[in-house]
């Protein structure tokens, strides 16, 4: 469905860019994807996000929107009559979704990333333990939010599904890097099953990068120190 | 059925004050409960088990946590009066962007100004002023970040405005010469009824800040 002038500045490997793309797919919005080259920042990116100089940036009718979770909310509100609601309808459920999405970024992702940047086995073990503890919180959050339904948002994927699910590609890459299962079928069974459902959602499937390709990119982004 | 609204809070908190202001902007009756952060109540630990932090808004027994999340919730539930977020999706996105900026780029150096000294504090002062200047540019010649109306971004900043004097005294510097129009907007915000009734006496905040610095041997 053509919906006017919509562009997205991003990269295939970025979790945060994926959030915006999933939201656009959910609303069936066609857009021009402007792929950034690794290692450089385009003039358009610098002009559209002068404060942070980061992707994703959604440009809608020449007006830029920055920060992935803010972009997802914007897409939901600007195209509210298109497709399913991304945020829950009740204020309390919205507050819970926002709380956990912030937790994903501020606590869970920081722990996940510290596995990749850990120096030595002790640091790595501590980072893994932190991720496991925080994933456990997310398992409980899923049980509370989903209320027996397939997704955090209920019958359809929504804001919190997108916030966490976009990490699933990198989640696998970090598992391989750490040689340690980080999404355990026995420890967090609900999240485990949710992950498969999320990845198979038609709005997500075409966007999830291949693990091997992402792992190769990760080695560039997080080079290991010389032994 | 009457709403039961309880706010778990801590009087000098720049985050707690945001919730107080939002509730008063909406004319919501609420019960304020002071928390001792060195001896947190069982209710706080039960209502915010993940972060164990204030503010927590408990609305008819259900908790909402994280200050700007609380403000957004208050705006959505009591939507009949004084809208805090604009109605236009693009302007809402802009308001959310600037609140995110405040809670990362202003918070981190502010916290260091309050709790460090020497070179670390000097660097923090530079970063803090830089962030305030970016905000001042965004404010432009508007009376509030919300335009003609006090809103979401102004509420977020008021937590820092009430700490301006304490920041200046902790860091031995002055904000007004660097950011005169932001300071003018700050004064405007600090005069609003909802804010006057929510923020403590700035001298008490200065006293509190120095007490904390002493405890942390700064």
């Amino acid at each position: 469905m053509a919906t006017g002038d919509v562009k997205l500045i991003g990269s295939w490997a970025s979790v945060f860019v994926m959030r915006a793309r999933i939201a656009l797919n959910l609303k069936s919005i066609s857009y021009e994807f402007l792929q950034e080259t690794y290692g450089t920042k385009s003039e358009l990116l610098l002009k559209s996000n002068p404060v942070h100089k980061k992707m994703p940036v959604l440009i809608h009718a020449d007006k830029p929107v920055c920060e992935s979770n803010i972009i997802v909310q914007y897409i939901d509100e600007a195209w509210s009559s298109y497709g399913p609601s991304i945020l829950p309808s009740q204020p309390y459920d919205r507050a819970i979704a926002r709380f956990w999405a912030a937790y994903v970024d501020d606590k869970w992702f920081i722990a996940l990333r510290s596995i990749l940047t850990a120096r030595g086995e002790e640091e790595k073990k501590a980072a893994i333990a932190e991720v496991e503890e925080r994933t456990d919180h997310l398992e409980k959050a899923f049980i509370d939010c989903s209320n027996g339904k397939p997704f955090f948002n209920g019958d359809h994927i929504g804001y919190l599904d997108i916030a966490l699910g976009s990490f699933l590609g990198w989640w696998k890459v970090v598992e391989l890097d750490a040689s340690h299962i980080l999404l355990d079928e026995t420890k967090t069974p609900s999240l485990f099953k949710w992950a498969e459902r999320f990845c198979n959602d038609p709005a997500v499937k075409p966007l999830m990068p291949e693990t091997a390709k992402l792992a190769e990119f990760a080695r560039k982004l997080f080079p290991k120190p010389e032994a | 059925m009457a709403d039961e609204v309880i706010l778990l809070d801590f009087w000098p908190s720049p985050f707690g004050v945001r919730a107080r202001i939002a509730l008063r902007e909406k004319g919501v009756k609420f019960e304020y409960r002071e928390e001792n952060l060195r001896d947190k109540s069982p209710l706080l630990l039960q209502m915010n088990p993940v972060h164990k932090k204030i503010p927590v808004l408990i609305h008819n027994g259900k908790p909402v946590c994280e200050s700007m999340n609380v403000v957004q919730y208050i705006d959505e539930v009591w939507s009949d009066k004084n809208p805090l977020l604009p109605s236009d999706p693009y302007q809402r996105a802009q308001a959310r962007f600037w609140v995110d900026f405040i809670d990362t780029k202003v918070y981190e150096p502010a916290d260091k100004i309050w709790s460090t000294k020497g070179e670390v504090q000097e660097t923090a002062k530079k970063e803090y002023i830089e962030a305030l200047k970016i905000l001042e540019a965004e404010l432009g010649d508007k009376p509030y970040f919300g335009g003609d109306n006090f809103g979401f971004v102004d509420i977020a900043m008021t937590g820092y405005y009430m700490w301006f004097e304490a920041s200046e005294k902790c860091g031995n510097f002055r904000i007004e010469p660097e950011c005169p129009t932001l300071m003018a907007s700050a004064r405007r915000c600090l005069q609003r009824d909802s804010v006057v009734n929510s923020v403590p006496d700035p001298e008490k905040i200065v006293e509190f800040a120095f007490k904390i610095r002493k405890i942390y041997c700064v």
Side-chain angles (χ1 to χ4, degrees):
Chain A
M1 185 188 303
T3 44
D5 181 20
V6 184
K7 296 182 174 70
L8 183 73
I9 305 176
S11 151
W12 65 273
S14 162
V15 167
F16 307 105
V17 172
M18 192 185 305
R19 289 174 174 171
R21 298 182 82 181
I22 294 172
L24 289 165
N25 283 356
L26 283 172
K27 299 288 190 178
S28 304
I29 292 160
S30 45
Y31 60 99
E32 189 185 349
F33 184 59
L34 301 169
Q35 168 82 38
E36 287 283 303
T37 308
Y38 174 66
T40 64
K41 293 185 191 215
S42 69
E43 242 181 80
L44 184 63
L45 173 61
L46 297 174
K47 189 180 90 162
S48 315
N49 190 357
V51 174
H52 298 304
K53 305 175 175 58
K54 283 183 177 176
M55 52 176 162
V57 181
L58 181 81
I59 306 176
H60 182 203
D62 292 324
K63 296 198 289 191
V65 182
C66 307
E67 296 298 301
S68 61
N69 285 338
I70 293 173
I71 292 171
V72 172
Q73 287 178 84
Y74 173 78
I75 290 167
D76 197 33
E77 292 174 2
W79 289 284
S80 56
S81 54
Y82 291 48
S85 259
I86 297 177
L87 272 284
S89 57
Q90 294 303 311
Y92 188 74
D93 297 330
R94 278 206 287 278
I96 296 298
R98 286 185 181 124
F99 173 87
W100 285 110
Y103 180 84
V104 166
D105 281 354
D106 299 340
K107 299 283 181 192
W108 182 86
F109 163 57
I110 302 301
L112 188 78
R113 194 175 57 185
S114 63
I115 295 176
L116 285 177
T117 58
R119 286 159 303 184
E121 274 311 302
E122 283 310 306
E123 252 186 57
K124 200 195 255 193
K125 262 195 206 148
I128 290 171
E130 214 165 52
V131 170
E132 286 179 334
E133 190 194 319
R134 292 170 187 189
T135 305
D136 203 53
H137 273 131
L138 292 170
E139 168 83 1
K140 293 193 183 79
F142 179 81
I143 293 165
D144 286 340
C145 294
S146 63
N147 234 336
K149 301 244 171 114
F151 299 105
F152 282 95
N153 200 40
D155 290 314
H156 309 284
I157 67 171
Y159 184 71
L160 184 51
D161 300 279
I162 294 171
L164 182 62
S166 299
F167 276 105
L168 284 163
W170 278 93
W171 207 327
K172 273 202 201 89
V173 166
V174 178
E175 270 188 346
L176 290 172
D177 182 88
S179 307
H180 188 102
I181 292 177
L182 294 170
L183 185 56
D184 193 312
E185 192 172 1
T186 47
K187 290 185 187 162
T188 54
S190 307
L191 275 185
F192 187 85
K193 292 190 199 86
W194 160 83
E196 208 173 309
R197 288 193 293 269
F198 181 84
C199 289
N200 284 321
D201 189 283
V204 175
K205 205 162 182 178
L207 299 172
M208 199 55 83
E210 274 171 35
T211 308
K213 192 178 174 196
L214 200 56
E216 193 190 325
F217 182 75
R219 282 190 285 276
K220 243 197 299 191
L221 215 58
F222 298 98
K224 295 291 173 201
E226 296 296 307
Chain B
M1 189 185 84
D3 274 320
E4 184 199 56
V5 183
I6 298 170
L7 181 68
L8 305 182
D9 201 347
F10 178 51
W11 67 272
S13 166
F15 306 107
V17 79
R18 293 162 165 182
R20 283 172 241 162
I21 293 168
L23 287 166
R24 292 189 169 111
E25 282 289 316
K26 300 288 189 174
V28 176
K29 286 198 171 66
F30 67 100
E31 182 191 337
Y32 177 93
R33 288 198 198 167
E34 188 68 38
E35 281 286 328
N36 176 356
L37 297 185
R38 278 181 286 173
D39 184 18
K40 294 176 181 179
S41 71
L43 184 64
L44 173 58
L45 300 176
Q46 183 202 352
M47 291 285 147
N48 191 358
V50 173
H51 299 304
K52 306 176 175 53
K53 286 181 173 178
I54 57 92
V56 180
L57 184 80
I58 310 173
H59 183 203
N60 295 330
K62 298 205 289 192
V64 182
C65 309
E66 297 295 289
S67 63
M68 291 317 290
N69 201 18
V70 171
V71 172
Q72 222 168 161
Y73 175 80
I74 290 167
D75 196 38
E76 290 175 7
V77 171
W78 290 281
S79 54
D80 51 333
K81 187 180 170 186
N82 283 355
L84 303 175
L85 269 167
S87 53
D88 172 72
Y90 183 73
Q91 286 175 22
R92 290 162 73 84
Q94 292 302 98
R96 288 174 176 137
F97 175 86
W98 287 109
V99 165
D100 177 76
F101 178 85
I102 289 163
D103 278 347
T104 45
K105 303 292 185 187
V106 176
Y107 170 67
E108 284 164 16
D111 188 51
K112 290 205 178 92
I113 291 171
W114 304 332
S115 60
T116 68
K117 60 184 177 185
E119 247 187 79
V120 177
Q121 194 192 49
E122 286 305 308
T123 307
K125 278 156 65 179
K126 284 197 188 82
E127 287 171 357
Y128 182 69
I129 292 292
E130 248 169 56
L132 292 185
K133 283 187 164 164
I134 291 173
L135 283 164
E136 189 175 62
E138 171 58 24
L139 178 70
D141 54 11
K142 303 193 294 287
Y144 299 106
F145 283 100
D148 289 324
N149 299 311
F150 178 78
F152 197 61
V153 182
D154 305 285
I155 292 179
M157 272 311 286
T158 301
Y160 294 99
Y161 295 155
M162 83 179 198
W163 270 79
F164 267 179
E165 200 175 316
S167 305
E168 287 174 329
K169 295 215 160 96
C170 289
N172 195 23
F173 72 121
R174 287 194 61 233
I175 296 167
E176 185 156 15
E178 305 278 359
C179 304
T181 46
L182 186 70
M183 190 57 109
S185 185
R187 288 201 179 96
R188 217 169 276 125
C189 292
L190 290 168
Q191 280 163 12
R192 270 183 92 74
D193 281 344
S194 64
V195 177
V196 167
N197 290 323
S198 302
V199 312
D201 184 346
E203 271 174 35
K204 290 212 163 72
I205 296 181
V206 173
E207 205 184 300
F208 173 80
F210 278 94
K211 199 168 85 176
I212 295 294
R213 283 173 76 80
K214 213 170 174 185
I215 291 174
Y216 289 108
C217 304
V218 181

